[in-house]
Amino acid sequence: MMLSISARMTLIALLILPVSLVLVMVVVHFSQRFFKAQQATLGVVNGQVEEVYSGHNVIKAFNREQAVLDDLNAANDQLYASAWKSQFLSGLMMPIMNFVGNLGYVAVAIVGSIFAAGGIITIGDIQAFIQYVKNFTQPIQQLSQVSNMLQSMAAAAERVFEFLAEEEEDQTADPARRADPATIDGQVTFDHVKFGYTPDKTVIRDFSCTVQPGQKVAIVGPTGAGKTTMVKLLMRFYDVDGGSITLNGHNVRDFDRSALREGFGMVLQDTWLFQGTIMENIRYGRLDATDEEVIAAAKAAGADHFIRTLPGGYQMELNEDASNVSQGQKQLLTIARAILADNRILVLDEATSSVDTRTEQRIQAAMDHLMQGRTSFIIAHRLSTIRNADLILVMRDGDIVEQGNHDQLMEAGGFYADLYNSQFEDVTA
Ligand SMILES: Nc1ncnc2c1ncn2[C@@H]1O[C@H](COP(=O)(O)OP(=O)(O)OP(=O)(O)O)[C@@H](O)[C@H]1O
Ligand SMILES: [Mg+2]
């Protein structure tokens, strides 16, 4: 339509496009930097809030309220600095577009009136043109209006895509060599296992041992020796750097990850319970378990008694971080969960470190009964609890320094005997 009225005036109206485009690009160029900074500092502020909220007891105990507030204020100031700049720049977009649109009107009006005076077009044509230019600039203005949102979205999306672009660990094994999870019978072999979390620091140097089905294996050693690391390698949370771990002759890499973990029951050093009833938390080990089975597992874990004394018993709701039961009680619940899951191999990493010695002994007795014919790995610092293990692996700085049963190791009079005796002395002192 515009062309049929006057080609030259159309050209003038179209000039609005490149001018707005250049201006938008300039503004985006400057503001994008601040949008990115805004998202990054927003992440920092959120992280701080979460950390402080979950650790508020410790912060109060160490009188660090003011220091924490100062940190938060500093991060918040940074957020403010980047946020106002990005908002200001993107807020400029609308007036700039209005200005360019109005320039278009003025150009059309001036050129139009010159043409009209020269008799090239009529006054009505100018009126029509002004209407067209308005229709024409409106969508551009609307676009610039949402560009604010688009930009902060782009900055946020960038962070999400960065996360999504991380390489995913393969969940299934090579079909040609895939091992049947039913073959997991409790036989475990570590063959010259070498591993480090980072390439420059080796945590496990050379770990070899063979565990027969049904054996109770204890891993002991000083803090930081690599006990938990061994367990993580067994469950394939990490892959070994050298050597191999085999289950009944099959490399752990030849199992689908889910199948491998199906073979293991695990109680970790840090307990994990979720918001929900105690019944639901224990049933997490095996979702189709009946109430009776859940209660039987709780009894075996020595948890039944304390659960019954709680208000609501098995139906008591645990809160989000399960702070309405004690640390030892949490451990008992996670043990009950592992007992209920009833897997071929059970791993207990300091599972009873927070319960009193008598309860610990009762749990051990129940465990010994339950674990007959099953392989169990028990990591414990209180050596009295693992005296009856079939095999004790003594670790030190990522190596097995001694192995054997309690009597053999005591007789050898080495590192284990030292550890054991030092605990004994502590008790009598
Ligand atoms: N995720 C990780 N990233 C880097 N290094 C780690 C990581 N986890 C553990 N380490 C390091 O590996 C070493 C062994 O840690 P590991 O947790 O296996 O010790 P542990 O024997 O279980 O000790 P504890 O008795 O305290 O539980 C430690 O020196 C530790 O600093
Ligand atoms: Mg550990």
Short mmCIF file of all heavy atoms in Angstrom, two decimals, residues 16-61:
data_model
loop_
_atom_site.label_atom_id
_atom_site.label_comp_id
_atom_site.label_asym_id
_atom_site.label_seq_id
_atom_site.Cartn_x
_atom_site.Cartn_y
_atom_site.Cartn_z
N ILE A 16 13.48 3.72 9.35
CA ILE A 16 13.31 3.48 10.79
C ILE A 16 13.93 2.14 11.19
O ILE A 16 14.54 2.01 12.24
CB ILE A 16 11.81 3.47 11.15
CG1 ILE A 16 11.21 4.84 10.86
CG2 ILE A 16 11.59 3.08 12.60
CD1 ILE A 16 9.72 4.86 11.04
N LEU A 17 13.76 1.14 10.29
CA LEU A 17 14.18 -0.23 10.63
C LEU A 17 15.65 -0.35 10.98
O LEU A 17 15.99 -0.75 12.09
CB LEU A 17 13.84 -1.17 9.49
CG LEU A 17 12.49 -1.88 9.58
CD1 LEU A 17 12.34 -2.88 8.45
CD2 LEU A 17 12.36 -2.59 10.92
N PRO A 18 16.57 -0.01 10.03
CA PRO A 18 17.99 -0.15 10.39
C PRO A 18 18.39 0.71 11.57
O PRO A 18 19.19 0.27 12.41
CB PRO A 18 18.73 0.29 9.11
CG PRO A 18 17.72 0.96 8.28
CD PRO A 18 16.38 0.44 8.65
N VAL A 19 17.80 1.91 11.66
CA VAL A 19 18.17 2.78 12.78
C VAL A 19 17.80 2.11 14.11
O VAL A 19 18.62 2.01 15.03
CB VAL A 19 17.48 4.16 12.66
CG1 VAL A 19 17.72 4.98 13.92
CG2 VAL A 19 17.98 4.90 11.44
N SER A 20 16.55 1.55 14.19
CA SER A 20 16.18 0.91 15.46
C SER A 20 17.03 -0.32 15.71
O SER A 20 17.43 -0.60 16.83
CB SER A 20 14.71 0.51 15.53
OG SER A 20 14.02 0.85 14.39
N LEU A 21 17.31 -1.06 14.63
CA LEU A 21 18.10 -2.28 14.79
C LEU A 21 19.46 -1.97 15.40
O LEU A 21 19.90 -2.63 16.35
CB LEU A 21 18.27 -2.93 13.42
CG LEU A 21 18.46 -4.44 13.46
CD1 LEU A 21 17.19 -5.11 13.94
CD2 LEU A 21 18.88 -4.96 12.10
N VAL A 22 20.12 -0.95 14.84
CA VAL A 22 21.45 -0.59 15.34
C VAL A 22 21.37 -0.18 16.81
O VAL A 22 22.15 -0.64 17.65
CB VAL A 22 22.06 0.54 14.49
CG1 VAL A 22 23.28 1.12 15.17
CG2 VAL A 22 22.41 0.02 13.11
N LEU A 23 20.36 0.65 17.12
CA LEU A 23 20.24 1.12 18.51
C LEU A 23 19.98 -0.06 19.47
O LEU A 23 20.58 -0.15 20.54
CB LEU A 23 19.13 2.16 18.62
CG LEU A 23 19.50 3.53 18.06
CD1 LEU A 23 18.31 4.46 18.05
CD2 LEU A 23 20.64 4.14 18.87
N VAL A 24 19.07 -0.97 19.05
CA VAL A 24 18.78 -2.14 19.90
C VAL A 24 20.05 -2.93 20.13
O VAL A 24 20.36 -3.35 21.25
CB VAL A 24 17.69 -3.03 19.25
CG1 VAL A 24 17.65 -4.39 19.94
CG2 VAL A 24 16.34 -2.36 19.32
N MET A 25 20.82 -3.11 19.05
CA MET A 25 22.03 -3.93 19.20
C MET A 25 23.03 -3.28 20.16
O MET A 25 23.67 -3.96 20.95
CB MET A 25 22.67 -4.19 17.84
CG MET A 25 22.16 -5.50 17.26
SD MET A 25 22.32 -5.69 15.52
CE MET A 25 24.01 -5.40 15.23
N VAL A 26 23.14 -1.95 20.04
CA VAL A 26 24.07 -1.26 20.94
C VAL A 26 23.64 -1.46 22.39
O VAL A 26 24.44 -1.83 23.26
CB VAL A 26 24.12 0.25 20.59
CG1 VAL A 26 24.86 1.02 21.68
CG2 VAL A 26 24.82 0.44 19.25
N VAL A 27 22.34 -1.26 22.67
CA VAL A 27 21.86 -1.38 24.04
C VAL A 27 22.05 -2.83 24.54
O VAL A 27 22.54 -3.05 25.65
CB VAL A 27 20.37 -0.96 24.16
CG1 VAL A 27 19.85 -1.26 25.55
CG2 VAL A 27 20.23 0.51 23.84
N VAL A 28 21.67 -3.80 23.69
CA VAL A 28 21.81 -5.21 24.10
C VAL A 28 23.26 -5.54 24.38
O VAL A 28 23.59 -6.21 25.36
CB VAL A 28 21.23 -6.15 23.01
CG1 VAL A 28 21.67 -7.58 23.26
CG2 VAL A 28 19.72 -6.06 22.99
N HIS A 29 24.13 -5.02 23.52
CA HIS A 29 25.55 -5.29 23.70
C HIS A 29 26.02 -4.87 25.09
O HIS A 29 26.73 -5.60 25.77
CB HIS A 29 26.34 -4.55 22.63
CG HIS A 29 27.82 -4.64 22.80
ND1 HIS A 29 28.51 -5.78 22.46
CD2 HIS A 29 28.73 -3.77 23.30
CE1 HIS A 29 29.79 -5.59 22.75
NE2 HIS A 29 29.95 -4.37 23.25
N PHE A 30 25.58 -3.68 25.50
CA PHE A 30 26.03 -3.20 26.81
C PHE A 30 25.30 -3.89 27.96
O PHE A 30 25.90 -4.20 28.98
CB PHE A 30 25.85 -1.68 26.90
CG PHE A 30 26.93 -0.94 26.18
CD1 PHE A 30 26.67 -0.29 24.99
CD2 PHE A 30 28.22 -0.92 26.69
CE1 PHE A 30 27.68 0.37 24.31
CE2 PHE A 30 29.23 -0.26 26.02
CZ PHE A 30 28.97 0.39 24.82
N SER A 31 24.00 -4.12 27.79
CA SER A 31 23.24 -4.63 28.93
C SER A 31 23.45 -6.13 29.15
O SER A 31 23.36 -6.61 30.27
CB SER A 31 21.76 -4.32 28.77
OG SER A 31 21.25 -4.98 27.65
N GLN A 32 23.77 -6.87 28.09
CA GLN A 32 23.89 -8.33 28.25
C GLN A 32 24.94 -8.70 29.29
O GLN A 32 24.77 -9.63 30.07
CB GLN A 32 24.22 -8.96 26.88
CG GLN A 32 24.11 -10.49 26.85
CD GLN A 32 22.70 -10.97 27.18
OE1 GLN A 32 21.74 -10.22 27.10
NE2 GLN A 32 22.57 -12.21 27.60
N ARG A 33 26.01 -7.92 29.31
CA ARG A 33 27.08 -8.15 30.27
C ARG A 33 26.52 -8.07 31.70
O ARG A 33 26.80 -8.89 32.56
CB ARG A 33 28.16 -7.10 30.06
CG ARG A 33 29.45 -7.34 30.75
CD ARG A 33 30.56 -6.65 29.97
NE ARG A 33 30.23 -5.26 29.65
CZ ARG A 33 30.62 -4.21 30.40
NH1 ARG A 33 31.30 -4.42 31.49
NH2 ARG A 33 30.31 -2.99 30.04
N PHE A 34 25.67 -7.04 31.91
CA PHE A 34 25.13 -6.85 33.26
C PHE A 34 24.08 -7.90 33.58
O PHE A 34 23.94 -8.32 34.73
CB PHE A 34 24.55 -5.44 33.41
CG PHE A 34 25.60 -4.37 33.24
CD1 PHE A 34 25.52 -3.45 32.22
CD2 PHE A 34 26.68 -4.32 34.11
CE1 PHE A 34 26.49 -2.49 32.06
CE2 PHE A 34 27.66 -3.36 33.96
CZ PHE A 34 27.57 -2.44 32.92
N PHE A 35 23.34 -8.33 32.56
CA PHE A 35 22.36 -9.40 32.81
C PHE A 35 23.07 -10.68 33.25
O PHE A 35 22.63 -11.37 34.15
CB PHE A 35 21.53 -9.68 31.56
CG PHE A 35 20.29 -8.82 31.48
CD1 PHE A 35 20.18 -7.83 30.53
CD2 PHE A 35 19.26 -9.00 32.37
CE1 PHE A 35 19.06 -7.03 30.45
CE2 PHE A 35 18.12 -8.20 32.31
CZ PHE A 35 18.02 -7.22 31.34
N LYS A 36 24.19 -10.97 32.59
CA LYS A 36 24.95 -12.18 32.97
C LYS A 36 25.45 -12.06 34.40
O LYS A 36 25.33 -12.98 35.20
CB LYS A 36 26.14 -12.36 32.02
CG LYS A 36 25.79 -13.12 30.78
CD LYS A 36 27.06 -13.43 30.00
CE LYS A 36 26.72 -13.80 28.58
NZ LYS A 36 27.82 -13.57 27.66
N ALA A 37 26.02 -10.88 34.70
CA ALA A 37 26.53 -10.66 36.06
C ALA A 37 25.39 -10.76 37.06
O ALA A 37 25.55 -11.32 38.16
CB ALA A 37 27.20 -9.30 36.15
N GLN A 38 24.21 -10.25 36.68
CA GLN A 38 23.06 -10.29 37.58
C GLN A 38 22.69 -11.74 37.91
O GLN A 38 22.47 -12.10 39.07
CB GLN A 38 21.89 -9.58 36.91
CG GLN A 38 20.66 -9.47 37.77
CD GLN A 38 19.45 -9.00 36.96
OE1 GLN A 38 19.59 -8.40 35.91
NE2 GLN A 38 18.28 -9.27 37.47
N GLN A 39 22.65 -12.59 36.88
CA GLN A 39 22.29 -13.99 37.12
C GLN A 39 23.34 -14.69 37.98
O GLN A 39 23.01 -15.46 38.87
CB GLN A 39 22.15 -14.75 35.79
CG GLN A 39 20.90 -14.37 35.02
CD GLN A 39 19.62 -14.66 35.77
OE1 GLN A 39 19.55 -15.57 36.57
NE2 GLN A 39 18.60 -13.86 35.56
N ALA A 40 24.61 -14.40 37.69
CA ALA A 40 25.68 -15.06 38.45
C ALA A 40 25.62 -14.64 39.93
O ALA A 40 25.70 -15.49 40.82
CB ALA A 40 27.03 -14.71 37.84
N THR A 41 25.45 -13.34 40.18
CA THR A 41 25.42 -12.91 41.59
C THR A 41 24.14 -13.37 42.27
O THR A 41 24.13 -13.66 43.46
CB THR A 41 25.57 -11.38 41.73
OG1 THR A 41 24.82 -10.76 40.71
CG2 THR A 41 27.00 -10.94 41.66
N LEU A 42 23.07 -13.49 41.48
CA LEU A 42 21.82 -14.01 42.06
C LEU A 42 22.06 -15.43 42.57
O LEU A 42 21.61 -15.80 43.66
CB LEU A 42 20.72 -14.01 40.99
CG LEU A 42 19.32 -14.28 41.48
CD1 LEU A 42 18.87 -13.20 42.44
CD2 LEU A 42 18.35 -14.36 40.30
N GLY A 43 22.83 -16.20 41.78
CA GLY A 43 23.18 -17.57 42.20
C GLY A 43 23.97 -17.54 43.50
O GLY A 43 23.72 -18.34 44.41
N VAL A 44 24.92 -16.60 43.59
CA VAL A 44 25.74 -16.51 44.80
C VAL A 44 24.87 -16.16 46.01
O VAL A 44 24.97 -16.79 47.07
CB VAL A 44 26.85 -15.43 44.61
CG1 VAL A 44 27.59 -15.21 45.91
CG2 VAL A 44 27.81 -15.86 43.52
N VAL A 45 23.99 -15.17 45.84
CA VAL A 45 23.14 -14.75 46.96
C VAL A 45 22.25 -15.91 47.41
O VAL A 45 22.14 -16.20 48.60
CB VAL A 45 22.29 -13.52 46.56
CG1 VAL A 45 21.24 -13.22 47.62
CG2 VAL A 45 23.19 -12.31 46.36
N ASN A 46 21.63 -16.59 46.43
CA ASN A 46 20.77 -17.72 46.80
C ASN A 46 21.55 -18.81 47.53
O ASN A 46 21.07 -19.39 48.49
CB ASN A 46 20.12 -18.32 45.55
CG ASN A 46 18.95 -17.48 45.09
OD1 ASN A 46 18.40 -16.73 45.88
ND2 ASN A 46 18.59 -17.61 43.84
N GLY A 47 22.77 -19.08 47.04
CA GLY A 47 23.61 -20.08 47.68
C GLY A 47 23.90 -19.71 49.11
O GLY A 47 23.81 -20.53 50.02
N GLN A 48 24.22 -18.43 49.32
CA GLN A 48 24.52 -17.96 50.69
C GLN A 48 23.31 -18.12 51.60
O GLN A 48 23.43 -18.60 52.72
CB GLN A 48 24.92 -16.49 50.65
CG GLN A 48 26.39 -16.29 50.40
CD GLN A 48 26.79 -14.85 50.59
OE1 GLN A 48 26.00 -14.02 51.00
NE2 GLN A 48 28.04 -14.55 50.30
N VAL A 49 22.15 -17.74 51.09
CA VAL A 49 20.95 -17.82 51.91
C VAL A 49 20.71 -19.27 52.34
O VAL A 49 20.45 -19.56 53.51
CB VAL A 49 19.72 -17.28 51.13
CG1 VAL A 49 18.44 -17.60 51.86
CG2 VAL A 49 19.86 -15.78 50.93
N GLU A 50 20.86 -20.17 51.37
CA GLU A 50 20.60 -21.59 51.67
C GLU A 50 21.59 -22.12 52.71
O GLU A 50 21.22 -22.79 53.67
CB GLU A 50 20.72 -22.38 50.38
CG GLU A 50 19.98 -23.68 50.41
CD GLU A 50 20.04 -24.34 49.05
OE1 GLU A 50 19.73 -23.66 48.06
OE2 GLU A 50 20.43 -25.51 48.99
N GLU A 51 22.87 -21.77 52.49
CA GLU A 51 23.92 -22.25 53.38
C GLU A 51 23.70 -21.74 54.81
O GLU A 51 23.77 -22.49 55.78
CB GLU A 51 25.25 -21.73 52.84
CG GLU A 51 26.48 -22.30 53.49
CD GLU A 51 27.71 -21.77 52.79
OE1 GLU A 51 28.04 -22.31 51.73
OE2 GLU A 51 28.34 -20.83 53.30
N VAL A 52 23.39 -20.46 54.91
CA VAL A 52 23.22 -19.85 56.23
C VAL A 52 21.99 -20.42 56.91
O VAL A 52 21.99 -20.69 58.11
CB VAL A 52 23.12 -18.31 56.09
CG1 VAL A 52 22.66 -17.69 57.39
CG2 VAL A 52 24.45 -17.74 55.67
N TYR A 53 20.95 -20.65 56.12
CA TYR A 53 19.72 -21.17 56.71
C TYR A 53 19.96 -22.56 57.29
O TYR A 53 19.55 -22.86 58.41
CB TYR A 53 18.61 -21.22 55.65
CG TYR A 53 17.33 -21.80 56.17
CD1 TYR A 53 16.50 -21.03 57.00
CD2 TYR A 53 16.95 -23.10 55.87
CE1 TYR A 53 15.33 -21.56 57.49
CE2 TYR A 53 15.78 -23.63 56.37
CZ TYR A 53 14.98 -22.86 57.18
OH TYR A 53 13.83 -23.38 57.68
N SER A 54 20.68 -23.41 56.53
CA SER A 54 20.87 -24.78 57.04
C SER A 54 21.90 -24.82 58.16
O SER A 54 21.92 -25.76 58.94
CB SER A 54 21.26 -25.72 55.90
OG SER A 54 22.43 -25.26 55.30
N GLY A 55 22.77 -23.81 58.26
CA GLY A 55 23.79 -23.86 59.29
C GLY A 55 23.59 -22.83 60.38
O GLY A 55 24.54 -22.45 61.06
N HIS A 56 22.34 -22.37 60.57
CA HIS A 56 22.15 -21.22 61.45
C HIS A 56 22.52 -21.51 62.91
O HIS A 56 22.95 -20.63 63.62
CB HIS A 56 20.74 -20.64 61.32
CG HIS A 56 19.67 -21.49 61.91
ND1 HIS A 56 19.13 -22.56 61.23
CD2 HIS A 56 19.05 -21.46 63.10
CE1 HIS A 56 18.22 -23.13 61.99
NE2 HIS A 56 18.16 -22.49 63.13
N ASN A 57 22.40 -22.80 63.32
CA ASN A 57 22.79 -23.13 64.69
C ASN A 57 24.28 -22.89 64.92
O ASN A 57 24.68 -22.31 65.93
CB ASN A 57 22.53 -24.62 64.97
CG ASN A 57 21.09 -24.83 65.37
OD1 ASN A 57 20.42 -23.88 65.74
ND2 ASN A 57 20.62 -26.05 65.27
N VAL A 58 25.07 -23.37 63.96
CA VAL A 58 26.53 -23.23 64.09
C VAL A 58 26.91 -21.76 64.03
O VAL A 58 27.76 -21.29 64.79
CB VAL A 58 27.23 -24.01 62.95
CG1 VAL A 58 28.73 -23.87 63.06
CG2 VAL A 58 26.82 -25.46 62.99
N ILE A 59 26.27 -21.02 63.14
CA ILE A 59 26.59 -19.60 63.00
C ILE A 59 26.33 -18.87 64.32
O ILE A 59 27.13 -18.05 64.77
CB ILE A 59 25.75 -18.99 61.86
CG1 ILE A 59 26.27 -19.53 60.53
CG2 ILE A 59 25.84 -17.48 61.87
CD1 ILE A 59 25.35 -19.32 59.39
N LYS A 60 25.22 -19.20 64.96
CA LYS A 60 24.91 -18.57 66.24
C LYS A 60 25.90 -19.00 67.31
O LYS A 60 26.37 -18.20 68.10
CB LYS A 60 23.50 -18.92 66.68
CG LYS A 60 22.48 -18.14 65.90
CD LYS A 60 21.11 -18.26 66.51
CE LYS A 60 20.14 -17.44 65.69
NZ LYS A 60 18.83 -18.05 65.61
N ALA A 61 26.24 -20.31 67.30
CA ALA A 61 27.14 -20.82 68.32
C ALA A 61 28.50 -20.14 68.25
O ALA A 61 29.15 -19.92 69.27
CB ALA A 61 27.30 -22.33 68.16
#
